[in-house]
Amino acid sequence: MMKFVKNYMESIDGVAIYPIISLLIFFIFFVLLFWWVATAKKDYLQKMSHLPLDINDKTDAK
């Protein structure tokens, strides 16, 4: 099965660009995510971290 896929992919012109594009998208996404986390306001992060544990929830747990 893999031999068929390998032979088929080798016959496509310019197929080598797809792994490069995928790597770039992956790398850019995580660089942007790291930048957002590094520049996020600490008050916002603190508020979001306590949100699931907030006792003053408006819904009644029954």
Side-chain angles (χ1 to χ4, degrees):
M1 181 68 178
M2 287 302 290
K3 191 173 187 178
F4 171 74
V5 172
K6 183 179 176 185
N7 288 337
Y8 179 71
M9 295 300 271
E10 286 176 349
S11 68
I12 300 173
D13 291 331
V15 76
I17 193 71
Y18 293 113
I20 295 169
I21 291 172
S22 299
L23 180 64
L24 284 174
I25 291 171
F26 178 80
F27 183 73
I28 289 170
F29 173 78
F30 281 104
V31 166
L32 290 175
L33 185 66
F34 179 75
W35 173 78
W36 180 80
V37 169
T39 61
K41 296 195 184 296
K42 303 306 176 198
D43 294 336
Y44 174 76
L45 294 177
Q46 190 71 16
K47 180 181 173 186
M48 290 297 120
S49 69
H50 290 293
L51 190 61
L53 304 175
D54 192 11
I55 295 174
N56 298 327
D57 194 3
K58 294 183 180 180
T59 60
D60 293 329
K62 292 182 180 181

